[in-house]
Amino acid sequence: MNETAGPKKRTTLADVAVRAGVSQMTASKVLRGTGSISEETRKRVKQAASDLGYVPNLFAGSLSSRSSNIVAVVLPSINDAVFGEVVAGINDVLRPEGYVTFIGESHLNPDSEERIIQTVLSMQPAGIILTGGIHRTAKADQLLKSWACPIIQIWDEEDEHYDGCIAPDHARAGRLTAQHFIDRGVRRPAYIGAELRKDICAARRFETFKRTICEAGLELTEVIDQELPRQPEAGRTLVADLMRRQADTDAIYFLNDAMATGGLSWLHEASFSVPEQVAVAAFNGTSLAHAIRTRLTTVPIERLKLGQVAAKTLLEAIDTRSTDKKREVFHVELSRGNTS
């Protein structure tokens, strides 16, 4: 005979209290680590919670404290190697302090970011770490301005709107790469990028690169697709388009390492010699950890450290409630590989 299972019942604090033979107040104090409770009672309550698979309601405690132990982290994509390491750095600092992170992915979409911000604020977070360099909606901006918890912005060094700003020097990254090409004596430089209308920081790197190139009397060829993702496949597609139209291009600056690896793959397959015929450079340094024979010239970012510093800055703001705004811009340098 088949039995139809009924709806699952969530284990409650009351269930734990009954199992342990204590009041709900006592069970709550034990699980929150507060109150003067005997060690024997603590063990009994914790064992009951473990046996029943009880998970505390993180939001219940926030009704009185007005905040939870959640830190919201809003970023473009967790699949991006850059932000994956940033999150690892954030967790390195926050988890030992009892905080858990809630990750929201905006995919550089302002409306998506706005919805994420509304959601995380409903959780009454202890703090927020969000990625700058996005065209934030007016409503999202207002929500953030009106919320009392500390907010730290990462990645965009030019916005000091929140309680802290931790970011790499994007403008310097673009200038360094341009100057490297100029010093190398290139004559027909090009830039390959994607989604610059969405990504303010990438656009800033491009603008300083372009300005430096033009000030040196060189003409820059631009291949920018506003729809393609900033991944290796897009790098292959765009470099193929560039070299079919302008085969004498002798230097290419890619928006990031991912696009550069795709572009390099196409150049090798098409028998272009790198760096003899075409020099290649990029930004963020995500390719360096996997380099075997080809070491890409790039501007690496201390991604793990950036996350750690952002988390420490947030903790300081939570603990002190200081109104002082901290701004730290990471110094960047060009890492010269064998592609330029």
Side-chain angles (χ1 to χ4, degrees):
M1 184 177 69
N2 294 328
E3 294 184 1
T4 303
K8 291 183 177 180
K9 179 178 179 295
R10 182 173 64 87
T11 301
T12 66
L13 180 64
D15 297 327
V16 174
V18 170
R19 178 72 167 255
V22 299
S23 68
Q24 286 192 51
M25 179 65 73
T26 298
S28 176
K29 288 180 179 180
V30 170
L31 296 175
R32 286 187 288 116
T34 62
S36 179
I37 311 294
S38 71
E39 187 60 30
E40 180 185 346
T41 301
R42 288 186 182 279
K43 287 181 180 180
R44 198 164 67 247
V45 171
K46 289 180 180 179
Q47 186 61 52
S50 176
D51 292 344
L52 295 173
Y54 175 70
V55 178
N57 183 345
L58 294 175
F59 306 111
S62 68
L63 295 176
S64 58
S65 66
R66 302 301 298 167
S67 67
S68 66
N69 67 337
I70 290 175
V71 170
V73 181
V74 185
L75 40 78
S77 174
I78 194 66
N79 287 328
D80 189 316
V82 170
F83 295 106
E85 287 196 53
V86 169
V87 170
I90 290 171
N91 284 331
D92 281 350
V93 173
L94 293 184
R95 282 179 177 168
E97 298 299 321
Y99 292 96
V100 294
T101 50
F102 173 91
I103 309 297
E105 296 178 287
S106 71
H107 299 289
L108 296 176
N109 183 308
D111 292 330
S112 294
E113 187 198 48
E114 180 186 307
R115 289 192 293 271
I116 291 167
I117 289 170
Q118 285 183 304
T119 298
V120 299
L121 291 181
S122 71
M123 299 176 180
Q124 301 187 54
I128 299 174
I129 298 175
L130 76 165
T131 308
I134 184 174
H135 296 282
R136 190 157 292 133
T137 67
K139 183 176 180 180
D141 215 25
Q142 184 57 42
L143 285 168
L144 293 167
K145 286 179 182 177
S146 62
W147 200 255
C149 74
I151 300 172
I152 306 300
Q153 177 167 278
I154 59 172
W155 204 247
D156 185 356
E157 77 271 28
E158 292 198 358
D159 194 335
E160 300 179 58
H161 185 71
Y162 305 109
D163 299 279
C165 173
I166 314 297
D169 191 337
H170 293 278
R172 176 176 167 82
R175 285 195 300 270
L176 285 173
T177 308
Q179 192 59 54
H180 175 58
F181 282 168
I182 293 166
D183 294 343
R184 190 180 185 276
V186 306
R187 305 308 306 163
R188 297 297 299 273
Y191 173 83
I192 289 180
E195 297 184 313
L196 292 193
R197 290 176 190 157
K198 298 178 181 179
D199 190 335
I200 295 170
C201 296
R204 189 176 303 139
R205 294 194 302 273
F206 166 63
E207 288 301 328
T208 56
F209 174 80
K210 179 179 180 179
R211 187 180 309 120
T212 306
I213 288 290
C214 293
E215 287 173 352
L218 299 173
E219 183 178 344
L220 180 68
T221 300
E222 305 168 20
V223 182
I224 301 170
D225 190 296
Q226 299 296 349
E227 303 302 326
L228 287 177
R230 302 173 301 171
Q231 297 299 325
E233 295 77 11
R236 285 182 61 88
T237 298
L238 297 181
V239 80
D241 178 55
L242 166 67
M243 300 308 285
R244 285 169 187 147
R245 292 189 289 110
Q246 190 170 298
D248 61 345
T249 297
D250 59 1
I252 306 173
Y253 178 36
F254 286 86
L255 178 144
N256 62 15
D257 280 26
M259 293 186 73
T261 56
L264 280 168
S265 175
W266 187 92
L267 288 169
H268 288 311
E269 291 173 10
S271 299
F272 284 92
S273 178
V274 178
E276 290 78 14
Q277 283 180 271
V278 187
V280 173
F283 171 83
N284 72 28
T286 55
S287 66
L288 298 181
H290 308 289
I292 299 175
R293 293 185 179 180
T294 301
R295 183 177 175 85
L296 178 65
T297 293
T298 186
V299 176
I301 304 303
E302 296 179 282
R303 302 176 294 279
L304 190 72
K305 180 181 176 182
L306 191 151
Q308 291 169 338
V309 173
K312 289 176 182 176
T313 303
L314 180 70
L315 287 179
E316 184 178 337
I318 292 172
D319 292 340
T320 65
R321 295 294 174 181
S322 171
T323 57
D324 295 336
K325 297 180 184 295
K326 179 176 180 180
R327 181 174 186 266
E328 182 169 342
V329 178
F330 282 29
H331 181 75
V332 298
E333 289 293 347
L334 188 76
S335 174
R336 300 190 182 191
N338 56 11
T339 63
S340 67

